[in-house]
Amino acid sequence: MSWIQSVLYFQGIPIEASLDQILLNRTIATIYIKGRSNYVQSPIPVNGIEGIWRFFYEREGQDSMLVFYPYVGRMAEISESAIPFHHRAGNLFKLTNMAFWQAEEAKNTEGYLSWTRKIYIYLTPYVVNSPRATYFNYRDLDIGVKNNNGKTSYAEASIWGLKYFKSNFDRLVRVKTIVDPKNFIRNEQSIPPLHSRWTNEED
């Protein structure tokens, strides 16, 4: 399968489709996705891999996937502190499990979310821990969200911040404190400014 065919595959378009068919097919179905990621530094034993398969026999696992992204080569040559993306040398691969469901299955959303959580728990012995590491662009709200009752502290934000950025999280907090001290730009998993540097009442 070529790269462009993989793009079609992940969009639910037949990989043998012609360019004219792709351009004419403008109907995009509503698809819900929940993705979770982990990093692996030691080979997962055969029995560990075999234990994963049972999840894909469950109803929610039928159209789901588990993807192994290799992280060696050039990825390992770049310093962990060069850019915010910290996951470099030492990682064999990123392991991503994703659940997909259609709009008509929305009533079973919790079932699909639960499916991703079960795999996440199962993988615990085989992945990076202390802290557990995950990929920022998947925005996994299960690992923690901001405090809606007031300012989110450094300690609270570090619950997800260290998983995404590891030791670079402290540097990002310092940058945030200087560039956006009143926390104007924020979301469920924002990097917070240090509270001693701002007085805005909102988080």
Side-chain angles (χ1 to χ4, degrees):
M1 180 184 291
S2 67
W3 174 80
I4 193 60
Q5 286 177 321
S6 72
V7 172
L8 298 179
Y9 174 80
F10 285 115
Q11 291 299 316
I13 300 173
I15 61 174
E16 66 275 6
S18 68
L19 179 59
D20 288 339
Q21 289 174 312
I22 295 170
L23 294 174
L24 289 173
N25 183 11
R26 308 300 293 177
T27 302
I28 301 177
T30 299
I31 300 176
Y32 299 99
I33 302 172
K34 170 64 176 180
R36 309 200 71 178
S37 63
N38 289 279
Y39 285 90
V40 178
Q41 295 185 340
S42 300
I44 299 176
V46 172
N47 64 331
I49 295 293
E50 291 176 342
I52 296 173
W53 299 135
R54 60 186 171 88
F55 294 102
F56 291 90
Y57 289 105
E58 298 177 12
R59 172 188 171 188
E60 292 80 9
Q62 296 296 306
D63 294 316
S64 300
M65 67 174 67
L66 186 68
V67 186
F68 294 72
Y69 295 94
Y71 263 55
V72 293
R74 180 60 177 152
M75 288 287 292
E77 295 174 9
I78 300 172
S79 168
E80 294 177 344
S81 61
I83 60 174
F85 185 87
H86 186 286
H87 312 289
R88 298 290 178 180
N91 291 306
L92 296 178
F93 52 86
K94 178 178 68 181
L95 190 57
T96 301
N97 63 288
M98 305 187 77
F100 302 87
W101 62 102
Q102 305 287 339
E104 57 267 25
E105 299 175 279
K107 62 183 179 182
N108 189 35
T109 292
E110 187 55 41
Y112 286 95
L113 297 178
S114 176
W115 183 86
T116 65
R117 292 165 186 152
K118 286 188 292 185
I119 290 189
Y120 191 81
I121 293 171
Y122 174 83
L123 291 171
T124 299
Y126 310 113
V127 301
V128 173
N129 285 286
S130 301
R132 195 145 180 177
T134 191
Y135 181 48
F136 176 71
N137 283 0
Y138 294 153
R139 296 295 306 282
D140 184 0
L141 301 186
D142 279 344
I143 65 175
V145 293
K146 70 173 187 169
N147 175 8
N148 288 320
N149 298 319
K151 299 181 179 73
T152 300
S153 68
Y154 170 90
E156 291 170 322
S158 66
I159 293 172
W160 61 84
L162 291 175
K163 291 180 175 66
Y164 287 136
F165 305 109
K166 298 181 74 175
S167 61
N168 289 337
F169 177 64
D170 286 347
R171 294 174 62 192
L172 292 169
V173 169
R174 292 197 296 271
V175 171
K176 174 76 171 186
T177 303
I178 295 170
V179 175
D180 184 19
K182 294 188 176 182
N183 206 26
F184 177 77
I185 301 172
R186 57 189 185 271
N187 57 50
E188 300 96 330
Q189 292 182 328
S190 295
I191 294 172
L194 294 174
H195 290 163
S196 61
R197 295 286 299 273
W198 61 292
T199 59
N200 187 20
E201 293 300 321
E202 292 186 272
D203 182 21

